[in-house]
Amino acid sequence: MSGHSTYQPKTGIERWLDARLPIVRLGYDSFVDYPTPRNLNYWWTFGGILSLCLASQLITGIILVMHYTPSADHAFASVEHIMRDVNYGWLIRYMHANGASMFFIAVYVHMLRGLYYGSYKAPREVLWILGCVIYLLMMATAFMGYVLPWGQMSFHGAVVITNLFGALPIVGPSITTWLWGGFAVDNATLNRFFSLHYLLPFMIAGVVILHIWALHVVGQNNPTGVEPKSKADTLPFTPYATVKDGFAMSVFLILFATFVFYLPNALGHADNYVEANPLVTPAHIVPEWYFLPFYAILRAVPDKLMGVLAMFGAIACLFALPWLDTSKVRSMRYRPTAKLYFIIFVVACCILGLCGAKLPDDPVLGHFKTFTLGDADLNSFVWLSRFASLYYFAFFLVILPVLGLVEKTLPVPDSIASPALSHPAAAPEQATAAPEMKG
Amino acid sequence: MNPSADTLALASTEFDLTKVADGQQVTLKWRGKPLFVRNRTPAEIQKAVADDGAAMKDPQKDADRVKPGKAQWLVLIGSCTHLGCVPTFGGGDYGGWFCPCHGSHYDTSGRIRKGPAPLNLAVPEYEFLSDTKVKIG
Ligand code: FES
């Protein structure tokens, strides 16, 4: 796609097909001959890992549907039927359920990598936004999928999330009724979520194709953030990237398998093995781990509508990121101050995740009370989540815009292949040895 | 994707009040949501009336939340006005209900007193068919 195609059809059949549908050529240009920057580190392997996750979710999901019954009366029992009676049903279901978590682990790493190396900056804005769309679709899919087993957590999670939309003025109540298909979360809700849960992954696959297309138009970013300038800066995708991606996938699969075979329920909630009961809410209701930071932001705000807006705003910040960051330097490798704020940002996200899992009024340290500030004690998770949320928004809305204008950056190399030669100021041996270890 | 006709038809239900012991509550399912029918003790009623003047998010008199002469019976939609969880009976700082999801406290009249919920627990449309029978919806 970038540059000239070097594909040479060798056999008669290939020549025949190439003249009619150059699909082999497309594959060759995209995944064999495609030039990748020579200095990509392992953080760049998560794109491949994510494709693997999507494929695994699709395959296991399609098999699960063959045995699942989408009805409020039978859904819970049919999941137990899958676990006990279906051949390798336990394996398929555990792969699907833990696969969702793995998918999110990979997507968060992938996003943070983009954030750190400035992969959202011109000309990659559309590439970044398509990625954000995929992330949004993933969240919707994961949420609806979690409802399908119709356990207590499924049910009351669905109640809480659908009610979030009810907070919006004017349209809110209609949206909620529309999602429910009735007066409350019930059979109609389960059926429409099932339908959408089957549809959305294929939409994700479609956007992934656009994402890869956009990637191949603008080319990959790399740890230096400098565009490849000559042949010396790139390597062909095969074998270099394929082998590296393959290795990273294998390592990732070890982690995946560890969860599936040894800790299959570690990331879930015991309450979801209790069938849904609309009349009793479990005492401690929390979403799946990958939503916890956003859940914490929601609870940090005492007002219902503002809480919902803050939560959606947290995601909207990602979409606006290409225009919020004003820095001319792409990679944070050459932005020492930004790097520091980035690390604090990652810590803040983890803190938010922790806060989302705890009860808001529980003390953070020990069991003592300090003094009451506003509606809660200062030594409580709700205040911790307020500070972390504040930092989350400040990072996007204040730090990145302002820092780009005032920051003193380190010298950026002229090209990927020769960072040391042209810039004696940048420590030469570190710059050449770094690509594999840094970041 | 709006509700189908048979879903909308699940509109009303009748309930026999003798099933609720003094000071207790029965939870039934109405339109897919929990419905609380609470038989309040005189002390609970008194507490609710005494608080009529207190600072509240959604001020309302206790008398406006029950049928005249039937202050003992409190009929409420049992879904938290925050995000719809089911509050637990008798919990919280005000002895009414406590919502475990994000910590909303309701008093013995079902009014929101503390926490993120914006409104009091809703009173559905209902009427007394006799002294011991109500029709809800
Ligand atoms: S749903 Fe009751 S406090 Fe949030």
Side-chain angles (χ1 to χ4, degrees):
Chain A
M1 289 188 194
S2 67
H4 239 52
S5 176
T6 55
Y7 171 64
Q8 295 284 354
K10 283 181 201 80
T11 61
I13 293 190
E14 277 180 79
R15 267 192 298 277
W16 182 88
L17 186 63
D18 195 51
R20 287 155 181 83
L21 179 70
I23 188 164
V24 184
R25 178 182 297 275
L26 179 70
Y28 182 86
D29 293 347
S30 311
F31 301 110
V32 180
D33 191 41
Y34 182 70
T36 60
R38 63 185 297 146
N39 59 338
L40 295 187
N41 54 31
Y42 274 103
W43 298 112
W44 259 265
T45 57
F46 280 85
I49 289 172
L50 283 163
S51 326
L52 179 73
C53 289
L54 181 62
S56 155
Q57 289 301 86
L58 281 169
I59 294 169
T60 51
I62 289 170
I63 300 172
L64 285 174
V65 170
M66 297 174 187
H67 304 282
Y68 170 79
T69 316
S71 139
D73 295 334
H74 304 291
F76 187 82
S78 74
V79 170
E80 285 310 303
H81 155 75
I82 290 171
M83 293 300 288
R84 292 162 199 224
D85 302 334
V86 174
N87 296 314
Y88 292 100
W90 59 273
L91 178 61
I92 296 164
R93 171 155 182 266
Y94 279 152
M95 278 177 74
H96 196 72
N98 286 288
S101 284
M102 295 300 125
F103 209 152
F104 275 95
I105 291 178
V107 88
Y108 283 134
V109 174
H110 192 66
M111 288 161 76
L112 287 174
R113 190 267 295 160
L115 195 58
Y116 183 81
Y117 292 110
S119 302
Y120 47 86
K121 283 177 189 284
R124 297 190 178 80
E125 300 96 325
V126 172
L127 175 61
W128 173 262
I129 288 176
L130 286 169
C132 293
V133 171
I134 296 173
Y135 176 55
L136 213 59
L137 287 171
M138 273 176 67
M139 291 204 284
T141 313
F143 158 64
M144 294 197 222
Y146 193 58
V147 175
L148 302 183
W150 212 240
Q152 273 289 63
M153 281 295 185
S154 304
F155 182 89
H156 292 280
V159 169
V160 168
I161 304 290
T162 49
N163 269 305
L164 285 182
F165 294 95
L168 302 173
I170 308 166
V171 290
S174 327
I175 295 183
T176 330
T177 315
W178 193 69
L179 286 171
W180 288 343
F183 301 110
V185 174
D186 213 333
N187 191 45
T189 324
L190 177 61
N191 277 297
R192 58 195 57 195
F193 280 14
F194 176 63
S195 163
L196 293 174
H197 183 71
Y198 207 103
L199 169 70
L200 291 188
F202 294 98
M203 290 175 64
I204 293 179
V207 185
V208 165
I209 290 173
L210 295 181
H211 190 65
I212 296 176
W213 183 12
L215 173 73
H216 284 202
V217 170
V218 294
Q220 279 168 295
N221 186 25
N222 65 78
T224 64
V226 178
E227 297 292 340
K229 296 204 173 74
S230 65
K231 265 234 163 299
D233 290 342
T234 62
L235 294 169
F237 193 91
T238 302
Y240 295 96
T242 25
V243 169
K244 198 166 181 169
D245 279 359
F247 176 68
M249 280 180 203
S250 316
V251 174
F252 189 78
L253 283 175
I254 294 175
L255 176 74
F256 192 173
T258 309
F259 273 103
V260 169
F261 293 107
Y262 296 100
L263 302 158
N265 290 307
L267 300 169
H269 300 284
D271 272 320
N272 221 25
Y273 283 101
V274 177
E275 191 169 2
N277 178 358
L279 302 186
V280 183
T281 301
H284 190 41
I285 173 159
V286 284
E288 291 287 79
W289 71 267
Y290 35 81
F291 293 138
L292 289 174
F294 297 107
Y295 192 61
I297 292 177
L298 167 78
R299 292 197 304 192
V301 186
D303 182 80
K304 179 173 165 182
L305 174 62
M306 294 316 280
V308 173
L309 291 181
M311 191 180 77
F312 287 118
I315 299 165
C317 283
L318 295 172
F319 281 84
L321 179 60
W323 295 276
L324 289 173
D325 184 358
T326 49
S327 176
K328 296 236 161 20
V329 176
R330 211 177 263 148
S331 169
M332 287 199 193
R333 181 177 282 184
Y334 306 105
R335 301 178 61 191
T337 328
K339 190 189 284 183
L340 194 71
Y341 285 114
F342 172 81
I343 293 168
I344 305 177
F345 175 75
V346 177
V347 173
C349 290
C350 296
I351 290 179
L352 279 173
L354 178 75
C355 293
K358 302 282 183 181
L359 290 171
D361 286 330
D362 277 359
V364 181
L365 299 168
H367 290 284
F368 52 87
K369 294 229 173 273
T370 50
F371 58 93
T372 310
L373 188 60
D375 55 350
D377 192 85
L378 198 58
N379 181 20
S380 67
F381 279 102
V382 70
W383 272 106
L384 185 61
S385 63
R386 280 176 191 161
F387 293 128
S389 310
L390 212 62
Y391 184 81
Y392 181 101
F393 285 105
F395 180 74
F396 286 111
L397 303 176
V398 182
I399 296 173
L400 284 180
V402 174
L403 196 60
L405 303 174
V406 301
E407 179 185 34
K408 245 184 88 70
T409 56
L410 298 177
V412 175
D414 281 338
S415 75
I416 298 171
S418 58
L421 304 176
S422 46
H423 271 286
E429 65 284 351
Q430 204 193 344
T432 38
E436 293 293 304
M437 352 257 295
K438 250 194 168 171
Chain B
M1 278 167 56
N2 270 322
S4 56
D6 60 338
T7 307
L8 288 170
L10 289 170
S12 70
T13 179
E14 281 178 22
F15 181 71
D16 178 7
L17 291 173
T18 55
K19 287 187 201 154
V20 196
D22 271 352
Q24 290 303 310
Q25 129 181 333
V26 163
T27 310
L28 47 146
K29 205 171 149 190
W30 179 64
R31 295 183 171 178
K33 279 188 187 158
L35 190 86
F36 296 157
V37 181
R38 182 167 181 161
N39 188 346
R40 299 192 293 176
T41 62
E44 286 169 344
I45 302 173
Q46 228 171 46
K47 213 161 102 194
V49 174
D51 278 357
D52 275 351
M56 280 188 246
K57 258 196 205 169
D58 181 15
Q60 210 179 5
K61 284 205 169 23
D62 184 58
D64 298 339
R65 300 176 53 78
V66 292
K67 298 286 173 200
K70 311 266 189 205
Q72 170 193 13
W73 298 106
L74 188 61
V75 180
L76 298 172
I77 294 177
S79 86
C80 181
T81 56
H82 182 228
L83 295 172
C85 292
V86 185
T88 45
F89 173 75
D93 297 354
Y94 297 88
W97 288 269
F98 174 71
C99 180
C101 289
H102 318 96
S104 288
H105 300 250
Y106 297 91
D107 66 10
T108 50
S109 186
R111 293 172 298 200
I112 176 69
R113 302 299 291 271
K114 186 178 158 198
L119 298 172
N120 301 336
L121 290 178
V123 181
E125 244 180 72
Y126 70 99
E127 57 184 343
F128 279 86
L129 299 177
S130 70
D131 266 357
T132 58
K133 211 170 191 119
V134 281
K135 179 172 168 240
I136 298 139

